[in-house]
Amino acid sequence: MKKVFLILFVLISSFSFAYDWDSIGPADVNVLNFYFDEDFTEILCADNGFLINTANEWIFYSYGEFPVREIMALDSETLLLIMGNGSWSDGIYTFNVNSQEFNVVEWAVWPHFLIFCETNTTFYVGHQYGLLESADGLNWSEIGYFNQKDCVVMAYYENHLVISADSEIHYSPDMGVSWSLVQAGSPIISDLVFDDVGTLFGIFPGISYSSGLWSSNDFGDIWNVEFWDMYLTSVGLDVADNIFVGWENEGIAMWLPDTQELNFFNDGLSCLNVNKLTYHPGIDCLNIVCCTQNGAHLLTNYEEINTDNEPLSVSNYQLSNYPNPFNPSTTINFALNTENTENAELVIYNIKGQKVKTLECINRVNAKTTRSFYSITWNGTDENNKPVSSG
């Protein structure tokens, strides 16, 4: 059964964004991740190796053309990385920049993430069958709690650690000393990030009724939906905690929770297939790095600009619809405190800001209160009378 959720709001004013895109490295690289270190400058993880920016020249390194999923520096000449695609060679490796030699440190099938937790100075690697930890990046041990669990993504805030494994959320309040499963029914999460005040944002991927951006203020116990949408791949924050999301084939947008709006930054972006969103700590301005199937791209100079000469003034409005969610139709009612007796237009947009349909609303004026009442039934179709997608 198809269900459609309707989010109702009044648009008070509109905004536009000025911004710039710059390329990081070659454009013909399927970039899985980006890393910056003062010793190694910029590094791109790719689906067949990795590249290091050396004196403005990008040098490519590969071991069997395996995908490098995460990378970081152990010291001034040694990199720690995870790579693999389900083969017998999957695992944790070191790479010596001087000798250009790869050395396997620990085998791990389908490694998903490599994280260094600054709170407890511990390295973590999540893989298809568990979670590994290390104090030095060279000696690793399995965490028994996660035995045979597919550990997909991890995030930490102060002494709080959160991991999405086997489509469930697992939480540690004491820097990984103890772990427990949070409340049953948590969303399936493929990407996680904490902001500076401990709010956790997660991507529910795929094309289900639950796909979208979710958030939690209690380390994954209770989740709230920020917005619904399909084919999301990544969530990332800049240093000012602006929230960015990426799609499989629809590019990148900033999510504004206060206004419940998505603002897209696709103009000038050469590829809309987003693998990962992060930021560049070596750039002294607000920025987001967008890792795509055709190179990595740096977004800067984005700022909110009010483009209305005279913002629309709306006061004492009432807006509701029933039922919600609905199938196949819903009735939308609203009232405006105005003496205008003209009929109104109600324009329905999807969460991406794309126009879906314009509806003519009948005005029923209350002569005693000069309030105008409007009502319209929407059958869940677009301008071409085709049913809109579920969710």
Side-chain angles (χ1 to χ4, degrees):
M1 179 183 293
K2 182 189 77 171
K3 289 186 178 180
V4 178
F5 295 84
L6 191 60
I7 301 173
L8 301 176
F9 62 92
V10 173
L11 182 63
I12 304 301
S13 58
S14 61
F15 298 90
S16 68
F17 289 80
Y19 56 91
D20 296 317
W21 282 107
D22 294 292
S23 295
I24 302 177
D28 58 347
V29 177
N30 185 0
V31 180
L32 305 181
N33 215 328
F34 168 82
Y35 176 74
F36 174 83
D37 180 84
E38 292 182 357
D39 291 326
F40 297 95
T41 64
E42 299 164 324
I43 301 178
L44 298 178
C45 299
D47 65 344
N48 60 349
F50 64 92
L51 300 93
I52 302 179
N53 186 2
T54 305
N56 293 322
E57 180 182 1
W58 288 90
I59 309 299
F60 175 73
Y61 303 95
S62 180
Y63 182 82
E65 295 194 348
F66 291 114
V68 175
R69 305 194 177 278
E70 302 256 9
I71 197 167
M72 62 179 60
L74 277 182
D75 54 48
S76 60
E77 64 179 27
T78 308
L79 292 170
L80 183 68
L81 59 131
I82 57 171
M83 60 183 179
N85 55 5
S87 76
W88 291 105
S89 298
D90 290 7
I92 307 169
Y93 286 75
T94 57
F95 177 77
N96 187 286
V97 177
N98 296 327
S99 66
Q100 299 183 11
E101 291 181 344
F102 289 88
N103 290 288
V104 63
V105 177
E106 189 78 24
W107 304 113
V109 178
W110 277 111
H112 298 300
F113 62 83
L114 165 64
I115 285 181
F116 177 71
C117 180
E118 296 179 351
T119 305
N120 60 1
T121 62
T122 301
F123 296 90
Y124 294 96
V125 166
H127 59 95
Q128 189 174 23
Y129 299 112
L131 180 68
L132 292 158
E133 64 177 350
S134 173
D136 58 8
L138 301 176
N139 300 282
W140 293 82
S141 60
E142 291 278 0
I143 297 177
Y145 173 87
F146 289 97
N147 185 36
Q148 298 301 308
K149 291 182 173 66
D150 187 10
C151 297
V152 175
V153 65
M154 175 181 181
Y156 72 91
Y157 175 77
E158 297 178 344
N159 62 318
H160 306 275
L161 309 181
V162 177
I163 289 181
S164 174
D166 282 354
S167 302
E168 296 175 318
I169 301 299
H170 304 264
Y171 169 61
S172 172
D174 48 19
M175 297 180 290
V177 175
S178 62
W179 290 90
S180 62
L181 176 68
V182 301
Q183 181 177 336
S186 59
I188 299 171
I189 297 296
S190 63
D191 198 18
L192 284 172
V193 64
F194 275 108
D195 68 10
D196 285 341
V197 296
T199 300
L200 183 62
F201 295 93
I203 292 295
F204 195 125
I207 57 174
S208 76
Y209 290 138
S210 300
S211 298
L213 178 67
W214 294 61
S215 65
S216 173
N217 292 312
D218 53 11
F219 309 108
D221 187 15
I222 298 175
W223 289 85
N224 303 296
V225 177
E226 295 287 330
F227 67 87
W228 310 100
D229 203 10
M230 298 181 292
Y231 300 112
L232 285 165
T233 60
S234 182
V235 56
L237 306 176
D238 64 15
V239 294
D241 278 347
N242 290 310
I243 307 164
F244 289 84
V245 290
W247 282 261
E248 288 183 17
N249 53 18
E250 295 185 41
I252 177 177
M254 180 192 292
W255 170 243
L256 303 176
D258 291 341
T259 59
Q260 297 287 289
E261 291 178 291
L262 277 170
N263 289 280
F264 281 79
F265 294 90
N266 290 339
D267 289 344
L269 183 62
S270 61
C271 179
L272 301 183
N273 303 98
V274 179
N275 294 322
K276 182 71 175 179
L277 294 174
T278 182
Y279 74 97
H280 196 317
I283 302 295
D284 190 22
C285 67
L286 290 179
N287 69 84
I288 279 289
V289 176
C290 185
C291 303
T292 77
Q293 292 183 11
N294 290 102
H297 308 276
L298 180 70
L299 177 66
T300 58
N301 295 330
Y302 48 89
E303 56 181 327
E304 192 174 40
I305 303 173
N306 191 331
T307 59
D308 286 345
N309 293 326
E310 294 183 5
L312 177 66
S313 177
V314 180
S315 61
N316 297 328
Y317 64 86
Q318 297 175 354
L319 190 63
S320 64
N321 74 294
Y322 183 83
N324 192 17
F326 64 92
N327 179 33
S329 64
T330 186
T331 299
I332 306 168
N333 299 290
F334 62 97
L336 295 177
N337 195 22
T338 175
E339 295 182 1
N340 183 5
T341 59
E342 298 293 329
N343 290 341
E345 281 187 349
L346 187 147
V347 183
I348 296 176
Y349 295 85
N350 64 22
I351 199 66
K352 301 173 188 176
Q354 300 166 330
K355 184 176 177 180
V356 174
K357 192 165 190 175
T358 299
L359 304 172
E360 295 290 338
C361 303
I362 300 173
N363 182 9
R364 296 179 286 113
V365 179
N366 186 321
K368 295 182 179 179
T369 63
T370 68
R371 290 177 65 81
S372 295
F373 295 87
Y374 302 86
S375 179
I376 187 70
T377 297
W378 180 43
N379 62 359
T381 61
D382 60 16
E383 294 285 18
N384 297 318
N385 290 321
K386 295 181 178 180
V388 300
S389 60
S390 303

